[in-house]
Amino acid sequence: MPAMNMIQALRSAMDVMLERDPDVLVFGEDVGFFGGVFRCTEGLQKKYGKRRVFDAPIAEAGIVATAVGMGAYGLRPVVEIQFADYIYPATDQLISEAARLRYRSAGDFTAPLTVRSPYGGGIFGGQTHSQSPEAIFTHVAGLKTVIPSTPYDAKGLLIAAIEDDDPVIFFEPKRIYNGPFDGHHDRPVTPWAKHPASEVPEGYYSIPLGKAAIVRPGEAVTVLAYGTMVHVALASAELAEVDAEVIDLRTLNPLDIETIVASVKKTGRCVIVHEATRTGGFGGELSALVQEHCFHHLEAPVARVTGWDTPYPHAFEWEYFPGPKRVAEALRQAMEA
């Protein structure tokens, strides 16, 4: 199997689905001729033509509204919002239209659209190119929210998202497009080619939505993470010298609560890590679920390591970013509680 970075894996997923299904099409901001700001769609317009892969105006509400209509007519649009920070103008279409279409039509219509968008920080993008808005969409009944952490998962999950008959928000951690990132920003970048999850089949395969992955088995404490934070959690367990079980959620909605509960009942401790702001973040929902399902098994309070309740700072990127030092301290405190 060839080694791919996440950009190549995502492109391969779209390539596979464009070839397999004539109802699949790709459009968005600069995705056609230019190949996307991160080059995830590079070469697809040349291969499939301007009717299947094309550019859209910089009008997020219009892009998603068009995709909802296409989905109602039986197409499977895959749209790209250039940065997750700019998805907000489309939230009305996503929440009031796409997420409600199956329900309001009593199943006569669906909205099988996939909205791809780079998200998260770690690239000095400042307040308008670093946000993590996943919790907004996990709140909405009818939407599915997916966040991969490796090239292998990115391709399999994106194929599953495109095949799903309901709308899927597919956030791509841009800090790990070209290589895994453990939060040590002062170290050289490691390419995906040196990671086993970069071995990605060229053809079709899918990973079911709603199934988490245990990426590091352990007995002492459960760590729940997704996206870039999966790699930070792995580094933090080594730094803290704690036998942590690290779970990559992969899909936030639907959530694999069975895997979470089984792990926390085994370890008796839980640390939740995400880059988004703390208040109203998805970690709060995870914490509540762990408490509800595992109360009598917990030996310490559920801990959260998150971004701060501020706009994403440019000058203080690494103070905001939940790095290994902060996560390792939370792991130690969980063990001492």
Side-chain angles (χ1 to χ4, degrees), residues 29-31 34-41 80-83 118:
E29 297 157 345
D30 291 325
V31 304
F34 191 61
V37 67
F38 291 102
R39 301 299 189 271
C40 288
T41 57
E80 178 178 311
I81 303 299
Q82 204 165 77
F83 288 88

Side-chain angles (χ1 to χ4, degrees), residues 247-266:
I247 296 178
D248 179 358
L249 299 180
R250 299 200 290 196
T251 305
L252 306 189
N253 190 7
L255 182 69
D256 186 356
I257 188 64
E258 291 82 7
T259 296
I260 295 171
V261 170
S263 178
V264 176
K265 284 184 176 180
K266 177 181 68 174

Side-chain angles (χ1 to χ4, degrees), residues 227-244:
T228 304
M229 292 298 111
V230 172
H231 305 280
V232 173
L234 291 169
S236 303
E238 298 301 321
L239 180 63
E241 298 182 338
V242 170
D243 185 21

Side-chain angles (χ1 to χ4, degrees), residues 187-204:
R187 298 180 182 178
V189 175
T190 301
W192 274 116
K194 296 184 178 181
H195 193 287
S198 69
E199 295 184 2
V200 179
E202 291 183 332
Y204 172 92

Side-chain angles (χ1 to χ4, degrees), residues 33-240:
F33 177 81
F34 191 61
V37 67
F38 291 102
R39 301 299 189 271
C40 288
T41 57
E42 189 173 28
L44 295 181
Q45 185 182 81
K46 184 177 181 180
K47 183 174 182 179
Y48 294 100
K50 295 181 180 179
R51 292 176 63 86
R52 306 265 324 268
V53 182
F54 54 91
D55 294 319
I58 302 177
E60 291 79 11
I63 291 170
V64 174
T66 303
V68 173
M70 289 176 170
Y73 273 91
L75 299 175
R76 291 187 179 274
V78 183
V79 303
E80 178 178 311
I81 303 299
Q82 204 165 77
F83 288 88
D85 312 64
Y86 302 125
I87 203 170
Y88 302 119
T91 50
D92 182 47
Q93 292 295 329
L94 287 168
I95 295 170
S96 302
E97 305 298 336
R100 307 286 189 251
L101 189 58
R102 181 194 289 273
Y103 182 87
R104 71 192 296 184
S105 69
D108 288 342
F109 294 97
T110 59
L113 62 114
T114 303
V115 180
R116 295 180 41 250
S117 191
Y119 99 115
I123 65 164
F124 286 103
Q127 63 178 351
T128 58
H129 293 81
S130 304
Q131 295 175 58
S132 300
E134 65 271 14
I136 293 173
F137 301 102
T138 61
H139 182 69
V140 180
L143 291 180
K144 297 180 179 179
T145 306
V146 181
I147 303 177
S149 68
T150 67
Y152 182 87
D153 282 3
K155 179 174 179 178
L157 290 168
L158 182 54
I159 287 175
I162 296 170
E163 292 182 325
D164 199 283
D165 288 334
D166 288 309
V168 179
I169 310 299
F170 196 94
F171 283 130
E172 301 162 7
K174 54 184 175 287
R175 185 59 180 82
I176 57 173
Y177 267 150
N178 291 297
F181 179 59
D182 61 8
H184 292 289
H185 62 278
D186 51 349
R187 298 180 182 178
V189 175
T190 301
W192 274 116
K194 296 184 178 181
H195 193 287
S198 69
E199 295 184 2
V200 179
E202 291 183 332
Y204 172 92
Y205 69 94
S206 67
I207 296 173
L209 304 185
K211 185 60 180 175
I214 299 175
V215 295
R216 185 189 192 278
E219 300 291 333
V221 57
T222 298
V223 183
L224 306 180
Y226 49 90
T228 304
M229 292 298 111
V230 172
H231 305 280
V232 173
L234 291 169
S236 303
E238 298 301 321
L239 180 63

